[in-house]
Amino acid sequence: MATTVHAEKVGTQMSDGDVESALGVACELLEMAQEGIIRLIIREWLEEYGFLPIYDLDDGSETKGSA
């Protein structure tokens, strides 16, 4: 699914309702529960700012039978 949603509010402050609405849209688009979306957002933020290591998959590594 390659849907991009971008919303920008200039000169206004984000409210809790805005966050809830954005989470609702993300849940629908990614077909995930709200708890899963929140965990994903936090994990990506922690990785981005260096609090969690980022694991890159090696394209040449053998993965057959390891699922």
Side-chain angles (χ1 to χ4, degrees):
M1 179 178 298
T3 303
T4 302
V5 177
H6 177 73
E8 185 176 331
K9 292 189 175 187
V10 179
T12 61
Q13 186 173 357
M14 189 168 36
S15 70
D16 288 343
D18 294 335
V19 172
E20 290 294 324
S21 294
L23 285 172
V25 170
C27 289
E28 286 184 33
L29 290 175
L30 298 174
E31 299 177 355
M32 294 175 68
Q34 186 171 355
E35 180 181 333
I37 293 291
I38 292 170
R39 290 180 63 84
L40 175 66
I41 292 167
I42 292 171
R43 173 172 289 282
E44 288 184 359
W45 186 89
L46 290 170
E47 288 174 350
E48 179 72 24
Y49 287 92
F51 294 103
L52 283 176
I54 298 173
Y55 298 104
D56 290 328
L57 294 176
D58 180 13
D59 290 338
S61 65
E62 182 66 34
T63 58
K64 186 176 181 180
S66 64

